Structure formats: structure tokens, C-alpha cells
Amino acid sequence: MKVYVIGIGLIGGSMALDIKSLQPEATIFGIDADESHLAQAIALGVVEAAATFEDLGDADFVIVSVPVDVALIILPKVLDSIGEQTVVFEVGSTKMPICEAVVNHAKRRNFIATHPIAGTEFSGPSAAITGLFQGKTNIICEVEKTTFKLQEKALDLFKQMGMRIRYMDPKSHDKHIAYVSHLSHISAFMLGKTVIQKEKHEQDIFDMAGSGFESTVRLAKSSPAMWTPIFKQNRKQVVKTLEEYISNLTHFKDLLVNEDYDAIFEEMESVNRIKEILNGMISQIPNKESIRK
Amino acid sequence: MKVYVIGIGLIGGSMALDIKSLQPEATIFGIDADESHLAQAIALGVVEAAATFEDLGDADFVIVSVPVDVALIILPKVLDSIGEQTVVFEVGSTKMPICEAVVNHAKRRNFIATHPIAGTEFSGPSAAITGLFQGKTNIICEVEKTTFKLQEKALDLFKQMGMRIRYMDPKSHDKHIAYVSHLSHISAFMLGKTVIQKEKHEQDIFDMAGSGFESTVRLAKSSPAMWTPIFKQNRKQVVKTLEEYISNLTHFKDLLVNEDYDAIFEEMESVNRIKEILNGMISQIPNKESIRK
């Protein structure tokens, strides 16, 4: 089996490691615009050799795991280059623009639009880890537009990686993911900014930070190159979630200004049921020890 | 050695477990307004026996680990009840009000104002874990107001628990802790609220939540009974941090509305240095396996 990973970072690299571990006879090739990334991925054993788009004709799988703006540009070119039996999938955090970009492509039926809900705050080939997708959800959009046999081939791979599959239309995906992923990232980035602004004048403040701050701000370590195009492509939904979040924060602040402590208690108590909601999720905190430095 | 823990939850209970583990000859007594908490703490072996304020005369240590509004009321009564050599410390997340509450007490010199920066999002006796304070910072306020010999006795205990000590005036403590702790909690609570509001109409949304959301919203599991009085006591500082946070979020939203993606990239890139700042912190994520259910 020949697998080509285009963009060998956290997601593409972790998929490469899983596939090699599940199917040792597979050969994993890497394609990356950043030659130092590619060299690092080969040196780390994440992929075996470098390749180019010209090699894609005999690919079994092509995994497109690049920033979502780059995906819009290269995915049609990838589909131009593949063979009849090649499955191409893309793993970005927005699904409407990518589905629109290939809707009329002659090889649309070789493509499957996915969003594996998995990751860490790290990026680049060194962030790749084995088992990242175990127990995670993979959202597949417009599955009916993919040839049935190639659907099966892709689903078999995802299931081997331990993912459970959920089908959704691209519009619903982009709307909901704004709440449970994109908003969390902005919340963390702006929390980090607020505290760093303060720290300019008070160097010692971070000595006082505990595990609570570390957890809440964790996503502020994420890659701007990855996240700027996500926010761009999902701009309307993200703006809406931000408006709702800012409104809720302003309401809480007003309760505090007005010293309405009963209402403050009730606000927090009503959100406490997030416990049960999160308990319903499969535990998805990555194992720190398994993250390669 | 006799130790009395008043309020046997996450912090008081974890201290009890550490002391018993470090000094097996110590007897740990529990005092708790909630009789079921006390019974549970004894059943779990967190404390050995129930006690009352009348027993405090022969205490070596009294640990006051109750919500900060309750601490204001009971601390003077505790000081009224103790012996000459008893050390009393309180562990809440605000320090100005507690220091003011006992400033003129005849036994002020038996009291040491502390804030161990440690915890999890869980509460109650079952949340108590051994080793919670290992490698954590303990902030001590107005140390000069505590008798030197009793300071030494307390510091020795804190160091045995593995804490590093930092001295700070109560005003600075309350100001800085608003940024690195109190704001994180509100940020998480309101993130949870925003997503739950949406989920009312979209039951499936949490299936899409990954480890990023889980991490960012974790503190929204925290106890409203503990946090409402903290926000009350540190109201002015917390309102200020919320204003700054809301202003930063609004600015980010405006950049997105105006499609200024270069500025959005730079916003995130400038916050990325939180990586180095957090790397400078001693790793403080509690070990999930060590949390008793």
C-alpha cells in the first residue's frame, strides 16, 4: 500500500505513524512545501521518503493535512494527479469551503471530506504521535458524493485507527464546530493576551499561575498559520459565537458590578452540568508522556 | 502532633492526607459544618475523628479550608479557642479580607495567611488526594505578623509537602491572582454557558467536542459555593480583569468582522510566547489516576 501525506504536521504525521504501525508493509511518502519539515519528518521516521504530486498516480491514499486555505488550492491539483482507485481525504477544521472547492471536479468521487476531532496544542512533524485518533470522533461530510468502494476503504482505515464515525452536512459541521472548537481557541488566546499584557509590568505574575490557568490557556499555544485561515473560512459563525460569549461575559461582569451574588451563584451552578456532558465524552486528553519532544 | 482541619474538602482533605503520610504519628481531626462531609471524610480515612472548636486548645496546627466568606466569620473564633503554641493557617484564594479580619486579634501572631496554588476542579472530601502540593507555590502574606517560631513550624510543614514559598503583600496577591486564577474560572464558566445555550437546540453538539474544549472549559466544573464568595471578596480586581478580557475579545471580533487577517495572525503569534511562560512553570496538571472517585 502506498500512502502520501501532504503536510506532515501534527495530524498528517500522526496518521502516518498510525498507518505504519497498523500496516507495516505500507510505504508512507511525504510531500511538504517546507523542506525542513520534510527532512525532519524523514529523520524522525514519521514518513519514509519524499515525493511530489507527479507520484500520486499509484497512491492508495492521499492525506491532505495542510492549513485550510492551502487545502482549497492544492486539493483540485491532487485530484488532477491521482489514479482511479486512489482515496483522497482532507482533515481540516472547516468543511463547507473545501466541499465547495471540489464540487464539480471530475474526481470528486475519489474524495472524502473528514474532520478527525483530535489534536494537541503542538504543531510540526515533531508533534506527531501514535494513537492520537484512538477513541476520537471523525466527522465525515457529504459521504454520498464518494464512490461506495472508496468510502469503505477509507472507513476501514479510520476504524483501524480507533475512530468512531459521524456523518454530517458541511454547513452543520462548520456551525457546531465554531462553538466546541473555534471559540475555545479564541477564548484561550485572549485569556493569554490579557494576562501577558499585565505581566509586562509585573514580571512575577506567572509564578502564581496554577494548573487551572495552564489548562484554560493551553490552546493559546496553537499555530497562527493553521488557525488564521480557519477563522477566515468560518468567519460568520465564529463572529456569532464570539458575540454570544462576549454577551455572557458582560452579563456576568454586570452581575458582579451590581453585587448580585445569588445570580452569580446560579450562573455557575447552571453551567456545572458541563461535568455530566464532559463525562459523556470519551476521555480525550492526550497522554503527555506519549508526546515526542 | 494534633492537627485539626476545618472544612474537609479538596484542599483541607489533601493537606490531611499529606500530613498523615509524612508524620504517621500525627492525629488528624476534622471539623465540618456539613455532617455528611465529615462522616464521608472519616469513612475515606481522610481524617481520623470528628472534633469541635472546644478541642482546639491543644492543637499543633489548625487548617482553615472553608469558603472565603465562612473563613472571615470563623477565623476569629478559631483564634479565640487555640493554645499559645498553636499555628493556624487559612488557605483561601483571597488574602486582603482575611488579613483585615484578624489584624487586631490578640492571637494574630499565631496566624499565618497562605494561599497554596494547587487544586483540581473537584470538591468535597472525595476530591482529596495525596501529593497535591508537591512542586506547587504557596503564597504567604504578612509573614512578619506571625511569631517567628510558629512561622518556622508552618514553613517546615509546607516544605515537607513539597511546596516552594513565596512572600507577598495581600493587596498584590489579590490583584495578581485575579488575572491568573479568578479570570480563568469566569472564562471557563462563560464558555461552558455559551456552548450549553446552543446545545439546548442542538443535542448532538458535544459529540464534536475534543480535548481542546475539555481543557478550556475544565474549570467550569468548579464549586459555586466556593467561587461566589471569592468573586465577592475580590470584586474590584475581578471586574477589572473581565473588562480587559472583554475588550480583547471585542477587538479580536472586530478584526474578524473587518477581515484583517494579518492582524489576527499577529494577535495569536504574540500570545504564542505563553508556551515559554508555561514551560517556566513547574508542571502542575494533576495526575488523573491519583484522583479518587
Side-chain angles (χ1 to χ4, degrees), chain B residues 166-221:
Chain B
R166 190 156 161 209
Y167 299 98
M168 197 174 276
D169 68 276
K171 190 174 174 182
S172 298
H173 169 275
D174 289 8
K175 182 176 147 193
H176 295 321
I177 207 72
Y179 284 91
V180 292
S181 167
H182 302 175
L183 177 59
S184 304
H185 283 79
I186 299 173
S187 155
F189 269 111
M190 291 303 102
L191 177 65
K193 179 179 175 180
T194 306
V195 178
I196 287 173
Q197 276 176 329
K198 194 70 202 171
E199 190 247 359
K200 264 190 239 172
H201 309 289
E202 310 282 357
Q203 289 298 330
D204 286 345
I205 194 170
F206 288 100
D207 265 11
M208 298 175 70
S211 59
F213 177 70
E214 192 169 359
S215 169
T216 318
V217 85
R218 179 168 74 89
L219 296 178
K221 302 178 197 171

Side-chain angles (χ1 to χ4, degrees), chain B residues 42-57:
Chain B
I42 293 168
L44 288 168
V46 175
V47 300
E48 285 156 72
T52 68
F53 278 39
E54 283 76 56
D55 303 318
L56 298 182

Side-chain angles (χ1 to χ4, degrees), chain B residues 50-79:
Chain B
T52 68
F53 278 39
E54 283 76 56
D55 303 318
L56 298 182
D58 66 350
D60 290 281
F61 285 102
V62 181
I63 302 172
V64 179
S65 45
V66 296
V68 294
D69 53 341
V70 181
L72 292 187
I73 299 163
I74 70 164
L75 187 58
K77 295 181 189 167
V78 170
L79 293 179

Side-chain angles (χ1 to χ4, degrees), chain A residues 24-97:
Chain A
E25 80 293 356
T27 310
I28 321 278
F29 298 94
I31 299 176
D32 203 303
D34 182 334
E35 289 198 8
S36 70
H37 261 196
L38 192 53
Q40 194 190 354
I42 294 170
L44 289 168
V46 175
V47 299
E48 287 155 72
T52 68
F53 278 41
E54 282 77 56
D55 302 319
L56 299 181
D58 65 350
D60 290 283
F61 285 102
V62 180
I63 303 172
V64 179
S65 46
V66 295
V68 294
D69 54 341
V70 181
L72 291 188
I73 298 164
I74 70 164
L75 187 58
K77 294 181 190 169
V78 170
L79 293 179
D80 291 343
S81 311
I82 58 171
E84 285 300 319
Q85 297 307 315
T86 305
V87 180
V88 179
F89 61 92
E90 187 272 341
V91 297
S93 190
T94 51
K95 293 270 76 69
M96 261 177 80

Side-chain angles (χ1 to χ4, degrees), chain B residues 134-151:
Chain B
Q134 186 64 48
K136 306 297 165 64
T137 300
N138 194 6
I139 298 173
I140 296 182
C141 295
E142 298 187 333
V143 71
E144 70 285 358
K145 296 195 175 168
T146 309
T147 302
F148 185 66
K149 276 202 171 174
L150 300 183
Q151 282 180 36

